[in-house]
Amino acid sequence: MLTDLIQQPADKILALMQAYREDPRDTKIDLGVGVYKDATGNTPVMRAIKAAEKQLWEVETTKAYTGLAGDPAYGNAMIDLVLGDSVARDRIAAVATPGGTGAIRQGFELIKWVNPEATVWISAPTWPNHPSILKFLKMPMAEYRYFDNETRGVDFDGMIEDLSQVKAGDVVLLHGCCHNPTGANLTLPQWAEVIATLQETGAIPFIDIAYQGFGDGLQEDAAAVRMVASEMPETLIAASCSKNFGIYRERTGLLMAISEKADGQPLAQGSLAFLNRQNYSFPPDHGARLVTMILSDDALRADWEAELEEVRQNMLSLRTALATELQRLSGSDRFGFLAQHRGMFSRLGATPEQVETLRRDHAIYMVGDSRLNIAGLNEKTIPILAKAIIDAGV
Ligand code: LMR
């Protein structure tokens, strides 16, 4: 049996992580995988997480199973963080999942289970693991236009034109904020148009929100999700705590399914719990418990929000500094989009050859589609990157 396995292509992001680790050059710069780094290149454990871990060590008396949906307090705290009071709580089903990827996977499985014919529409481009999981699950998928390579902004007309073709019952996967990999985001009036288009076609939105608090602020980054969820009859949402709580390896996510009416919620809740049981039984609890403690304790929450805001401001400063340095070196405004983009990533618009030149000649690692992780930069590396970008002819 095992000899019949077929070698799969390496995940682009994870392969790059490995190549970076193996590069012996001490000048190397990692702008690959989406992990936040401070000015010293460290990915810190956030203060509130450390404090909650200490408290948890004192008060936790059992490691017995929770429930299939995870601890309901976690679901409630996260629903509040993502959705606020935009949707009546009794319409929302939610289960804890192993990270945001787990929530995406469970969401896709739910779609396939209920309607194997449904096509999942993904943005071109999107996080490479979206199409990879869909392909693995043998689910029909299609792309809608999203990024305009010329302006490095959203190709909004193309997006709406493509979304108008979607069939009723198909699912449209949207990035709630901080689009990965491009960094180009919709404005709220544009979101309103997307919602109107989804309503016309009868498509179901599935929102991936993995970077809440990394773009324009915790509340601001949730505005689009809240708008969609409050105006559409049904919505799926995959939320991740990996980045905004800095608990990547704890695998902490939440899948939400919003039914049109409250009487649909129990069936959705039971179905999500059933899906968890089929795939891994009980979801991981450690990260979820820390998140719950932080969100429900005024002091911990205030400290977490303050540190998250520092992280966000740091990324904004790095964006501005890189755009300014590139403007100085190129004598043009053509890199101004870097300061406009939001979140951890920007797509630079370099060719694969230029990306390879940056790696080979300058030990600068970014994903092959020229996605760079802004948080991988610091004051010292910004001039080095800017010069290398110009030298590579981008
Ligand atoms: C990324 O896009 O770099 C992150 O979401 C990490 C991952 O799992 O790919």
Side-chain angles (χ1 to χ4, degrees), residues 11 13-14 17 32-35 101 127-129 180-181 210-211 243 248 251 344-345 367 371 373:
D11 180 282
I13 299 170
L14 305 187
M17 214 165 130
V33 69
V35 168
T101 308
W127 182 49
N129 212 18
N180 179 6
Y211 297 88
K243 331 275 168 166
Y248 306 86
R251 310 314 298 139
M344 205 173 223
F345 307 116
V367 185
R371 181 192 85 168
N373 174 9

Side-chain angles (χ1 to χ4, degrees), residues 97-345:
T97 55
T101 308
I104 291 286
R105 166 75 188 235
Q106 296 295 76
F108 286 166
E109 294 225 29
L110 182 82
I111 296 161
K112 184 179 176 183
W113 183 25
V114 189
N115 182 7
E117 311 290 303
T119 296
V120 178
W121 290 75
I122 53 177
S123 63
T126 190
W127 182 49
N129 212 18
H130 287 150
S132 178
I133 300 174
L134 287 167
K135 189 170 161 220
F136 183 69
L137 291 173
K138 299 191 172 63
M139 290 173 69
M141 66 174 134
E143 284 186 330
Y144 60 86
R145 275 170 283 172
Y146 185 81
F147 189 65
D148 181 338
N149 246 324
E150 286 303 309
T151 63
R152 266 70 151 186
V154 177
D155 173 7
F156 191 63
D157 291 343
M159 178 180 185
I160 292 294
E161 208 179 302
D162 290 349
L163 291 187
S164 312
Q165 313 301 317
V166 173
K167 287 195 311 293
D170 280 356
V171 175
V172 176
L173 186 61
L174 297 152
H175 298 228
C177 65
C178 307
H179 186 267
N180 179 6
T182 67
N185 296 292
L186 299 175
T187 62
L188 286 181
Q190 288 175 328
W191 275 103
E193 261 192 73
V194 168
I195 293 169
T197 310
L198 296 175
Q199 285 168 335
E200 264 163 43
T201 59
I204 299 150
F206 185 2
I207 304 182
D208 182 357
I209 178 156
Y211 297 88
Q212 187 182 352
F214 272 37
D216 291 311
L218 258 186
Q219 301 304 323
E220 292 81 351
D221 289 350
V225 186
R226 292 174 186 180
M227 207 161 129
V228 173
S230 66
E231 291 183 32
M232 295 299 298
E234 293 183 344
T235 307
L236 296 176
I237 303 167
S240 169
C241 300
S242 298
K243 331 275 168 166
N244 52 6
F245 287 88
I247 48 173
Y248 306 86
R249 63 177 65 170
E250 301 296 354
R251 310 314 298 139
T252 309
L254 190 81
L255 176 63
M256 290 166 256
I258 306 177
S259 298
E260 185 164 9
K261 300 212 172 71
D263 60 9
Q265 192 274 356
L267 177 60
Q269 185 63 49
S271 305
L272 292 185
F274 173 83
L275 265 184
N276 267 9
R277 181 65 168 160
Q278 304 320 301
N279 281 327
Y280 39 76
S281 272
F282 302 90
D285 181 68
H286 185 72
R289 198 151 292 273
L290 300 173
V291 167
T292 312
M293 289 169 76
I294 292 171
L295 292 179
S296 51
D297 177 291
D298 286 348
L300 286 178
R301 185 174 183 138
D303 192 41
W304 168 67
E305 288 194 14
E307 191 171 0
L308 180 59
E309 183 58 15
E310 283 164 31
V311 161
R312 189 179 80 81
Q313 291 293 348
N314 184 33
M315 286 187 292
L316 283 181
S317 313
L318 292 166
R319 285 187 174 283
T320 314
L322 180 61
T324 309
E325 183 63 4
L326 281 164
Q327 185 192 40
R328 194 181 68 79
L329 292 178
S330 69
S332 86
D333 285 332
R334 68 178 200 275
F335 294 101
F337 63 88
L338 288 164
Q340 308 305 321
H341 286 170
R342 282 294 177 272
M344 205 173 223
F345 307 116

